[in-house]
Amino acid sequence: MMKSTRFVVSLWFSVLLFVIALFSPTASQGGALEAEAAFKANNYQVAYKEWKELAENGDAIAEFNLGFLYSRGLGVPKDYSKAAEWWTKAAMQKMAVAEVNLGLLYSWGQGVQLDDEKAAELWRSAATQGLSEAQQYLGYVYLIGKGVPKSSNDAIFWLTKAAEQGNVDAQVSLGSIYLSRTDVDKNLSLAYLWYNKAAKQNDAQAQYNVGLMYLKGAGVESDTALAMEWLKSSAAQGHEGAKKALIRMQTELQKTPP
């Protein structure tokens, strides 16, 4: 049986993702230029001072960056409630990346009270602005019904938008959905399409699945040479399934008479 699934849902519940660490300021913002230079030099206290002055005057970029400093404990004590405070200010100005990160805090209840509906609301706002990470997360919550009604159609809609922007995790998830979800019509051609796009971006799991699809002729014409090529790429990244599949292939080849 083909091992196919690797939904990324569990990852974003355990690992905080920061989409953008630093926004480049406009040339007219002298304080922002100083803050950026200080940040790049790891002088976080100076960066904090400069950004705070700008943030207190309503600069959304500075508000976001202050939240980032608090979320990482750079130049200030780590404090998710302070991060949430500043990201909320930036999110109120419709800064998509602030909405994504604030949504993550709401999804974990870190620095704010856990609120799955609020997280989904923030991700929807960022997703409609075209941010692929937000589209990815919104797709996931529709897939599992977290903060929104469970809907495979909505999940596929948003994951596809993210995948079309090159979001690897969304591409892998779509491949898994089309290959093995019981609530979605199986479509091996689409499963191959999305796995192949992710494999070309060097995703080990996708490379493994593409290799198996070539080996079994699932969604694509059977090709042992291509199967081995993709499995080797996956195995080189430490994928245990790919390593075992290569051993099985080599064993079978040795049994085959010349």
Side-chain angles (χ1 to χ4, degrees):
M1 181 180 294
M2 183 182 299
K3 183 178 179 181
S4 59
T5 57
R6 187 208 67 176
F7 291 108
V8 195
V9 179
S10 62
L11 296 182
W12 58 267
F13 284 117
S14 58
V15 180
L16 187 59
L17 170 67
F18 292 95
V19 180
I20 301 175
L22 181 69
F23 283 92
S24 296
T26 61
S28 62
Q29 295 177 304
L33 291 171
E34 292 176 12
E36 181 180 7
F39 183 91
K40 290 179 177 178
N42 299 329
N43 193 343
Y44 302 122
Q45 290 180 338
V46 172
Y48 172 82
K49 178 178 176 294
E50 296 293 341
W51 277 328
K52 191 166 190 296
E53 184 175 340
L54 291 167
E56 288 175 342
N57 287 314
D59 185 283
I61 292 173
E63 291 167 349
F64 173 83
N65 288 336
L66 280 183
F68 178 79
L69 293 179
Y70 275 112
S71 69
R72 290 290 179 89
L74 299 175
V76 290
K78 182 182 284 189
D79 188 332
Y80 286 123
S81 64
K82 286 287 188 182
E85 178 184 330
W86 286 110
W87 282 340
T88 297
K89 291 179 182 292
M92 288 175 68
Q93 299 192 58
K94 294 299 179 183
M95 177 176 278
V97 71
E99 292 174 323
V100 167
N101 285 353
L102 183 59
L104 287 167
L105 294 185
Y106 274 108
S107 74
W108 304 322
Q110 291 226 6
V112 291
Q113 186 173 349
L114 190 149
D115 189 332
D116 291 326
E117 291 184 5
K118 181 66 174 177
E121 176 188 330
L122 286 161
W123 291 333
R124 182 182 302 280
S125 177
T128 57
Q129 294 180 62
L131 193 63
S132 73
E133 289 82 3
Q135 294 165 345
Q136 173 195 349
Y137 294 159
L138 192 57
Y140 289 159
V141 294
Y142 271 117
L143 199 62
I144 61 177
K146 189 176 175 66
V148 292
K150 188 174 182 179
S151 170
S152 297
N153 288 336
D154 286 317
I156 289 172
F157 175 83
W158 288 109
L159 286 170
T160 300
K161 283 189 170 294
E164 287 173 345
Q165 293 195 63
N167 186 304
V168 174
D169 289 333
Q171 291 170 346
V172 173
S173 291
L174 281 172
S176 299
I177 287 169
Y178 285 120
L179 190 62
S180 60
R181 288 281 294 195
T182 58
D183 54 347
V184 174
D185 290 338
K186 182 175 288 190
N187 190 321
L188 295 178
S189 295
L190 282 176
Y192 169 78
L193 169 73
W194 291 115
Y195 277 142
N196 190 52
K197 286 181 181 294
K200 288 179 177 178
Q201 294 195 68
N202 209 34
D203 183 275
Q205 181 67 40
Q207 291 170 340
Y208 169 63
N209 287 336
V210 168
L212 292 185
M213 296 185 87
Y214 272 116
L215 186 63
K216 299 175 181 294
V220 67
E221 187 175 347
S222 178
D223 190 320
T224 302
L226 281 175
M228 186 167 288
E229 179 182 323
W230 282 115
L231 289 170
K232 284 180 177 179
S233 295
S234 179
Q237 296 192 65
H239 193 287
E240 293 300 323
K243 293 177 184 178
K244 292 175 182 177
L246 283 171
I247 292 171
R248 290 194 298 270
M249 288 182 69
Q250 290 163 355
T251 301
E252 290 300 318
L253 287 173
Q254 289 171 359
K255 293 179 181 177
T256 304

